[in-house]
Amino acid sequence: MSDLPDGIQRREFDGQTRLATRGDPVYGEPTDGGWRCWDAGRSKLGAMLEGGMGIDLSSGEGVLYLGAASGTTVSHVADFAGPTYAVEFAPRPMADLLDVAEARNNLFPLLKDARKPDTYSHVVESDLDLLVQDVATRGQARVAVDNARFLGDNGQLLLAIKARSEDVTADPETVFDSVCAELTEAYKITDRQRLDPSHDDHLGVVARKR
C-alpha cells in the first residue's frame, strides 16, 4: 500500500471508499467537508495510487509535474505537497490551470515544453522530491531522463506511459518495455503496473533517480 501523507485520505463518496485531498474543489468533484474526491478515472496518478503501487509521497516537499493540462491531478498534488511546478505546453488548458492555481499559493503554472527543460531550469528549483509525468508525446522516456536533473538524490519518478503516443500500431507491452529500458539511463524502476481499466493502454511506472 502506498505511504499516504497527511494531506491524502481514503474517504467515502457515493458509497465507495476513494482517495481524497484537502483543498478547494475544482471541476465539480464530490466533496466531504474540506475533502475533495480524487477520481482515478480522471487521473493517472490517482489510478496508480488506487492500484496500490509502491509510491512514497511522504517526502513530497517539492514537485515538478510535466503535462499538467487543465490542472485536475496537479491540483490534488499541490493539496499535499510543497512547491509544485506545473508544466503545460498548450495555451488553452493553461488558461484553466491558471484559474486552478489562484486558490493554491504553492502551485506555479509554466507555459513550457517538457521536452525542453532548459527553458524552465531558471525557474524550477533543483533537489525536488518528486517528478510526476503525464505527457502524451513520442519520446516519453527521453522527457523523463532529461528532467531528472531537477530531482534530488533518491528523488522519485511517477510516470504514466501512454502507449499510443509512442506508436499507435505497436503492441502496448512492447512499447512499455522499450520505454522502461530507456528510463534505466537515469532511473532504477521499482514498480510498474497497467492502469486498465481506468486508463486503457497506459502503464504506471515508479522509479528512483540513480
Side-chain angles (χ1 to χ4, degrees):
M1 184 65 67
S2 301
D3 184 10
L4 299 180
D6 292 340
I8 305 179
Q9 289 188 5
R10 298 184 186 275
R11 301 179 70 88
E12 187 169 304
F13 296 93
D14 301 324
Q16 294 184 331
T17 301
R18 303 167 75 179
L19 291 171
T21 59
R22 183 181 290 278
D24 290 341
V26 300
Y27 310 129
E29 71 248 317
T31 58
D32 176 16
W35 295 88
R36 46 190 291 247
C37 180
W38 191 347
D39 185 355
R42 297 179 61 191
S43 169
K44 282 84 167 187
L45 179 55
M48 291 169 69
L49 286 165
E50 288 283 23
M53 296 189 69
I55 297 171
D56 177 15
L57 298 177
S58 60
S59 61
E61 292 299 319
V63 180
L64 175 59
Y65 193 106
L66 305 178
S70 58
T72 300
T73 299
V74 76
S75 68
H76 286 289
V77 173
D79 284 345
F80 66 81
T84 303
Y85 301 92
V87 174
E88 174 52 43
F89 178 70
R92 179 62 191 89
M94 173 57 69
D96 295 329
L97 178 58
L98 289 170
D99 289 339
V100 169
E102 286 186 2
R104 292 170 173 82
N105 294 331
N106 64 325
L107 179 56
F108 307 105
L110 300 171
L111 184 61
K112 298 292 184 179
D113 188 340
R115 296 169 296 183
K116 301 176 181 179
D118 286 341
T119 64
Y120 47 87
S121 61
H122 64 293
V123 177
V124 178
E125 61 187 281
S126 58
D127 203 32
L128 297 174
D129 295 308
L130 294 173
L131 170 58
V132 183
Q133 181 177 321
D134 181 12
V135 177
T137 185
R138 183 168 293 182
Q140 293 166 83
R142 178 48 48 189
V143 172
V145 168
D146 289 346
N147 280 274
R149 69 180 76 178
F150 298 108
L151 284 173
D153 293 340
N154 206 39
Q156 190 174 52
L157 168 69
L158 308 177
L159 169 63
I161 302 172
K162 184 176 182 178
R164 301 306 180 195
S165 292
E166 292 288 342
D167 189 335
V168 71
T169 63
D171 175 68
E173 284 298 329
T174 300
V175 172
F176 297 148
D177 289 344
S178 175
V179 174
C180 286
E182 189 174 350
L183 284 175
T184 59
E185 177 182 336
Y187 300 96
K188 179 181 179 180
I189 295 174
T190 58
D191 198 2
R192 55 182 280 179
Q193 181 176 302
R194 290 286 292 258
L195 301 183
D196 307 272
S198 297
H199 303 278
D200 292 340
D201 298 328
H202 281 75
L203 181 76
V205 174
V206 182
R208 292 284 184 181
K209 181 180 177 181
R210 289 189 181 275

